[in-house]
Amino acid sequence: MTPAMPGPAARAGLGLAALLAAAPAGAQVAVRGETVYTMAGAPIRNGVVLVGRDGKIERVAPAASVSTPKGYRVLNAKVVTPGLIDAHTVVGLAGALNAPFDQDQLEKSNPIQPDLRAVDAYNSRELLVGWLRHYGITTIHTGHGPGALVSGQTMIVKTRDVLAPRDVLVSTAMLALTLGPDVSKTFAPKSPGSRTKGVAMLREEFVKAQDYVRKRSAATADKPVPRDLDLDITADLLAGRIPALVTAETARDIEAALRLQREFGFKLVLDGGAESYLVLDQLKAAGVPVIVHPTMVRNAGLMRNATLETVTKLRAAGVPVALQSGYEAYVPKTRVVLFEAALAASWGLGREPALASITIDAARILGVERRVGSLEPGKDGDLALFDGDPFEYVTHVCAVVMDGDVVEEGCR
């Protein structure tokens, strides 16, 4: 029987901070939870997660069957989950101050710029990165945002304030595209104009990339073909080396994305999908996962037909789904996927599927499930520790562990 998440009363008197003497950086950690959601099987009552000096999980098991080795720092919590994953954001490129100097998520000089790399603009010390980390979010898929036909590349990164090479899980994760009228609004007077013009411009870019690949394959020392950074990354897309992250909200824009995918054969991840519940059969048949818009998105403009039940309907139809914080044009510039998942849970998704949408299901869609998304031996030691049910508003994140390091402490 699956143990229920604890209610508000269960949090009384919780002391979550480390119980043993402070250990040096990189020391082993034992995290004990009254309920441990591994996301790799049934939750464990009175469980323990051991993380070794290399930052990898060593063991996950009931506490009665584990003897904590000497020297391990011990943390205690009511509920323990894997570190949370925000499946699509622009945090680190978009900043909290909402000023021109910290808004790098969308370059407006040209509607098609596939050569722009998120890693070249990402600011790990941005206030919003720390803000998300406080809420147990240890991994984000971030980069160039919606609003351009091709806005640039995305990346997958840990939410540390000072990055080590291991913290960048994927430096070029996906290529971000947008279909719909928002592109025309952003790039006037260089606007692609109508929907059909935008799709035609993308098709033309894909054909150019195909020709480029053929020419480079036939190039010789006497007749070289100069490199084109735009076409290089587009060629990678068409070859299946990276997916297209296509922001499309209306059913007709989603159908246009599916037509392009059938024509050119690239891997497609749908982003947003406000009306995706109208094309469930097509999405399932195409094997296209959806990183669904925030549950609490405003119902206006292209989002007017969004529903609180979108993620529930997609999952019920067998379409892989994850939740995201997305892009917010107003301060404080980001949502928190923990809260978005909580509302989805209450609108039919259920607690464990909602938790999966911001852990293991997100990791699978992003292709990083071998490192993050669940608590299993050999995976990164990323954990979020709560003083109650993670989806109750009055619950606090009391500690965050990343690769075995305690990076946040104190119930917030």
Side-chain angles (χ1 to χ4, degrees), residues 212-226:
Y212 172 73
V213 170
R214 284 192 289 267
K215 289 176 181 177
R216 283 185 63 84
S217 297
T220 64
D222 295 334
K223 295 182 179 180
V225 175

Side-chain angles (χ1 to χ4, degrees), residues 97-268:
L97 298 180
N98 203 31
F101 67 84
D102 71 352
Q103 300 300 299
D104 283 328
Q105 73 278 1
L106 186 61
E107 169 58 47
K108 298 181 180 180
S109 60
N110 192 306
I112 298 179
Q113 299 189 82
D115 60 326
L116 303 183
R117 305 193 315 163
V119 71
D120 292 331
Y122 180 73
N123 179 11
S124 64
R125 296 174 178 84
E126 164 56 42
L127 294 173
L128 295 181
V129 174
W131 175 255
L132 295 184
R133 187 175 61 244
H134 293 332
Y135 286 105
I137 298 162
T138 55
T139 301
I140 57 176
H141 174 216
T142 189
H144 294 92
L149 284 174
V150 184
S151 61
Q153 303 163 34
T154 65
M155 65 186 292
I156 302 170
V157 63
K158 298 287 187 76
T159 53
R160 285 187 185 272
D161 55 0
V162 179
L163 295 182
R166 69 181 289 174
D167 297 320
V168 180
L169 276 65
V170 186
S171 59
T172 299
M174 301 188 193
L175 189 61
L177 285 67
T178 304
L179 296 179
D182 282 353
V183 178
S184 297
K185 295 176 184 176
T186 302
F187 288 94
K190 295 182 180 180
S191 167
S194 65
R195 280 180 165 89
T196 52
K197 179 63 174 177
V199 174
M201 289 172 67
L202 285 176
R203 185 175 284 111
E204 181 180 11
E205 192 72 11
F206 294 158
V207 170
K208 283 169 57 180
Q210 290 174 332
D211 290 341
Y212 172 73
V213 170
R214 284 192 289 267
K215 289 176 181 177
R216 283 185 63 84
S217 297
T220 64
D222 295 334
K223 295 182 179 180
V225 175
R227 285 192 62 189
D228 183 308
L229 295 181
D230 280 347
L231 296 179
D232 276 343
I233 193 68
T234 306
D236 284 344
L237 173 74
L238 298 182
R241 288 187 281 272
I242 61 169
L245 179 71
V246 180
T247 300
E249 303 293 356
T250 67
R252 58 175 164 170
D253 292 326
I254 296 170
E255 289 168 337
L258 292 172
R259 281 193 295 273
L260 281 172
Q261 191 244 3
R262 286 194 298 270
E263 181 177 352
F264 292 96
F266 55 82
K267 296 177 184 177
L268 171 61

Side-chain angles (χ1 to χ4, degrees), residues 41-112:
I44 300 173
R45 293 299 298 265
N46 298 318
V48 62
V49 183
L50 298 181
V51 183
R53 192 174 296 277
D54 62 355
K56 299 293 184 180
I57 296 173
E58 296 177 323
R59 192 172 180 193
V60 184
S65 66
V66 177
S67 177
T68 302
K70 184 178 179 180
Y72 277 56
R73 184 181 181 188
V74 178
L75 303 176
N76 289 277
K78 286 288 184 181
V79 174
V80 177
T81 73
L84 307 182
I85 300 172
D86 188 335
H88 186 209
T89 181
V90 293
V91 165
L93 278 76
L97 298 180
N98 203 31
F101 67 84
D102 71 352
Q103 300 300 299
D104 283 328
Q105 73 278 1
L106 186 61
E107 169 58 47
K108 298 181 180 180
S109 60
N110 192 306
I112 298 179

Side-chain angles (χ1 to χ4, degrees), residues 198-386:
V199 174
M201 289 172 67
L202 285 176
R203 185 175 284 111
E204 181 180 11
E205 192 72 11
F206 294 158
V207 170
K208 283 169 57 180
Q210 290 174 332
D211 290 341
Y212 172 73
V213 170
R214 284 192 289 267
K215 289 176 181 177
R216 283 185 63 84
S217 297
T220 64
D222 295 334
K223 295 182 179 180
V225 175
R227 285 192 62 189
D228 183 308
L229 295 181
D230 280 347
L231 296 179
D232 276 343
I233 193 68
T234 306
D236 284 344
L237 173 74
L238 298 182
R241 288 187 281 272
I242 61 169
L245 179 71
V246 180
T247 300
E249 303 293 356
T250 67
R252 58 175 164 170
D253 292 326
I254 296 170
E255 289 168 337
L258 292 172
R259 281 193 295 273
L260 281 172
Q261 191 244 3
R262 286 194 298 270
E263 181 177 352
F264 292 96
F266 55 82
K267 296 177 184 177
L268 171 61
V269 176
L270 179 63
D271 172 62
E275 293 183 0
S276 56
Y277 55 85
L278 297 177
V279 290
L280 293 174
D281 291 343
Q282 296 96 310
L283 290 169
K284 184 175 181 180
V288 172
V290 183
I291 301 177
V292 184
H293 59 78
T295 308
M296 293 179 278
V297 72
R298 291 166 176 75
N299 293 76
L302 294 176
M303 310 302 296
R304 62 187 177 277
N305 291 325
T307 168
L308 295 166
E309 299 174 308
T310 301
V311 65
T312 304
K313 292 179 178 180
L314 286 164
R315 198 177 199 276
V319 177
V321 292
L323 280 171
Q324 62 169 300
S325 63
Y327 167 67
E328 297 296 337
Y330 61 92
V331 174
K333 303 297 290 186
T334 187
R335 295 171 180 265
V336 178
V337 289
L338 176 62
F339 304 150
E340 303 297 331
L343 194 63
S346 68
W347 278 82
L349 186 58
R351 275 174 157 72
E352 288 186 42
L355 185 56
S357 75
I358 55 174
T359 54
I360 189 59
D361 289 351
R364 288 173 179 148
I365 290 174
L366 299 178
V368 292
E369 71 276 13
R370 291 185 178 181
R371 286 191 59 179
V372 297
S374 62
L375 301 178
E376 299 177 80
K379 287 194 172 184
D380 293 0
D382 297 353
L383 302 94
L385 286 70
F386 299 85

